[in-house]
Amino acid sequence: MKKFFKKNLLIIIPLYLVTAFLFVSSLIKTEYEITSPGYVNKVGNVISIESPYESLGSFNTTSVYVNEKCTFLQYMIAHLSKAVIIEPISEVVDGTSVRNSKSGLIQKNNSISNSIICAYREAGLSLEYNYLGVIVHTLAIDATLDLEVGDIISEINGVKFNSMAEFYVLYNKIRLDSEFFDKEKGICSIPMTVNNEPRIVTTDVIQYNNINEPYPVFGFYIYDQYDINEETANPKYTINPSNTGGPSGGLMQTLAVYDSLTEGDLTHGLKIAGTGTIDINGEVGAIGGMYSKIFTAYYSDCDIFFVPFYESSSDKTNYKEALRAYEALGCPEDFVIVPVSTFEDAVQYLETLGDANA
């Protein structure tokens, strides 16, 4: 055995060093996260309509895999793939696993409600719903301790509001009012109605604007929250359990539900994917993970991919990221990327597509 080791020392030592390096690098965590292609999921698996109008194709939501605090080995391997994005972990959002899971579920459920409301209204069908207020879906690392993910705020300083936009008008005015914001102590306390109960929400996190004026930051992120009276839905719908989370399925869910509720076939036999949040008025919003979602859809043999479009000077808008991924794929002719700002944009594109194929 000793003779064997001596004879093969020049081979054994490098192999040992490489093995040791791979082992250690697979244990060391980094401050980076890796986003890689996931899978597409047919909307009909999540939201089903009673006695739907049938479609030959399908609408699909698109997911990605996110590996937070990847190992050094994973970090190195990820650089070898053109389908993967490597980014520093956010230092703003509280990324604890419990909050992440709850936040993702809240955002998904909120997205489904918005999709159903928008689709039924656009189809001209009966559905009653009530505005509950704004729901806290995410908290920053230094957020107020007086709110939790899932809390619903319905009043601010005793005043009701009817939308997230109205909430922010009240919030931005009140948090700078000397009655609530003590600049000397650096503390701001605002009366709110949270989960139908009065609560004083306090923060001592103070930031400054470009003219060095202080303003308090509570560190919560919100969506409008609605309660649907399911008994009024005609036809009825069913929401099935799924493993996905987040709000990005909004647009595709709305298209799928609308197509099931109305005559004709918007899919024209195609496998259609896409991403983007949706509000009840059909406005499409930005999402994360866009670059890898393009690869997800292409690898899943989708024909069309809808991308949120909005005006911005940034090089990282959803549409610009989608184009970058499309170019990395070699601009395949059998895969089309379509930018949309509203639900109606997507419907009009599909209707025009049907006319072209007639």
Side-chain angles (χ1 to χ4, degrees):
M1 183 64 72
K2 289 183 179 179
K3 289 183 178 179
F4 172 81
F5 277 105
K6 286 182 179 180
K7 184 177 181 180
N8 296 282
L9 200 59
L10 294 178
I11 298 175
I12 292 172
I13 290 177
L15 284 176
Y16 174 80
L17 292 174
V18 169
T19 302
F21 172 78
L22 292 175
F23 177 74
V24 172
S25 63
S26 68
L27 298 177
I28 297 174
K29 293 286 188 178
T30 71
E31 292 302 311
Y32 289 87
E33 66 179 22
I34 297 172
T35 304
S36 56
Y39 59 92
V40 299
N41 187 30
K42 188 177 178 180
V43 174
N45 295 331
V46 179
I47 309 173
S48 53
I49 302 298
E50 183 179 65
S51 302
Y53 289 97
E54 297 296 334
S55 298
L56 295 176
S58 63
F59 289 101
N60 302 268
T61 57
T62 315
S63 69
V64 293
Y65 294 114
V66 179
N67 184 357
E68 297 178 346
K69 290 197 171 185
C70 64
T71 67
F72 185 66
L73 180 61
Q74 291 169 329
Y75 175 82
M76 292 190 299
I77 294 174
H79 281 87
L80 302 177
S81 174
K82 65 180 180 181
V84 170
I85 290 292
I86 307 168
E87 296 176 312
I89 292 176
S90 170
E91 297 180 357
V92 176
V93 175
D94 185 344
T96 58
S97 59
V98 173
R99 275 186 171 168
N100 266 350
S101 177
K102 190 173 182 180
S103 174
L105 181 61
I106 286 170
Q107 292 183 65
K108 181 183 78 170
N109 290 339
N110 180 273
S111 170
I112 289 173
S113 294
N114 287 356
S115 299
I116 291 170
I117 292 171
C118 181
Y120 272 74
R121 189 193 63 239
E122 292 294 330
L125 298 172
S126 172
L127 184 70
E128 294 179 3
Y129 58 92
N130 297 311
Y131 183 70
L132 299 181
V134 293
I135 187 168
V136 178
H137 66 78
T138 308
L139 289 170
I141 291 176
D142 55 358
T144 173
L145 299 178
D146 298 320
L147 291 173
E148 289 293 337
V149 171
D151 282 345
I152 296 177
I153 306 169
S154 55
E155 294 181 1
I156 184 164
N157 194 31
V159 179
K160 287 185 175 293
F161 49 88
N162 297 307
S163 68
M164 186 167 61
E166 289 185 14
F167 169 85
Y168 274 123
V169 170
L170 291 169
Y171 166 72
N172 288 327
K173 180 180 179 181
I174 288 173
R175 67 172 170 163
L176 298 178
D177 192 316
S178 59
E179 180 183 350
F180 308 101
F181 180 24
D182 188 327
K183 293 184 180 180
E184 292 185 3
K185 294 182 178 179
I187 296 175
C188 184
S189 299
I190 300 178
M192 297 183 184
T193 299
V194 183
N195 302 330
N196 296 319
E197 294 182 354
R199 186 182 300 182
I200 302 298
V201 179
T202 301
T203 184
D204 59 3
V205 178
I206 308 300
Q207 294 184 3
Y208 295 84
N209 61 19
N210 54 6
I211 57 174
N212 207 34
E213 291 178 337
Y215 63 95
V217 177
F218 287 79
F220 54 80
Y221 300 86
I222 56 177
Y223 287 139
D224 285 317
Q225 182 74 2
Y226 299 90
D227 177 49
I228 300 175
N229 183 350
E230 296 182 13
E231 295 302 315
T232 65
N234 184 25
K236 303 296 184 185
Y237 64 85
T238 301
I239 300 173
N240 305 306
S242 66
N243 294 325
T244 57
S248 64
L251 172 60
M252 302 312 296
Q253 291 162 179
T254 309
L255 286 168
V257 173
Y258 176 81
D259 196 33
S260 295
L261 295 173
T262 55
E263 291 188 59
D265 179 4
L266 283 178
T267 70
H268 310 293
L270 301 173
K271 188 174 183 179
I272 303 169
T275 191
T277 64
I278 199 82
D279 65 18
I280 65 168
N281 298 311
E283 296 291 326
V284 177
I287 53 82
M290 173 56 71
Y291 182 88
S292 295
K293 286 186 175 182
I294 296 299
F295 283 85
T296 299
Y298 181 70
Y299 291 160
S300 301
D301 296 321
C302 294
D303 301 294
I304 296 172
F305 192 94
F306 285 111
V307 178
F309 179 81
Y310 47 94
E311 296 292 345
S312 174
S313 59
S314 171
D315 289 331
K316 290 193 174 182
T317 65
N318 280 174
Y319 186 51
K320 289 178 182 178
E321 283 289 283
L323 288 180
R324 191 162 67 87
Y326 185 70
E327 291 170 357
L329 283 168
C331 301
E333 295 182 0
D334 58 346
F335 181 56
V336 181
I337 293 176
V338 182
V340 293
S341 300
T342 65
F343 165 76
E344 186 60 30
D345 288 344
V347 171
Q348 288 180 358
Y349 174 85
L350 293 172
E351 288 177 342
T352 303
L353 186 66
D355 293 339
N357 292 339

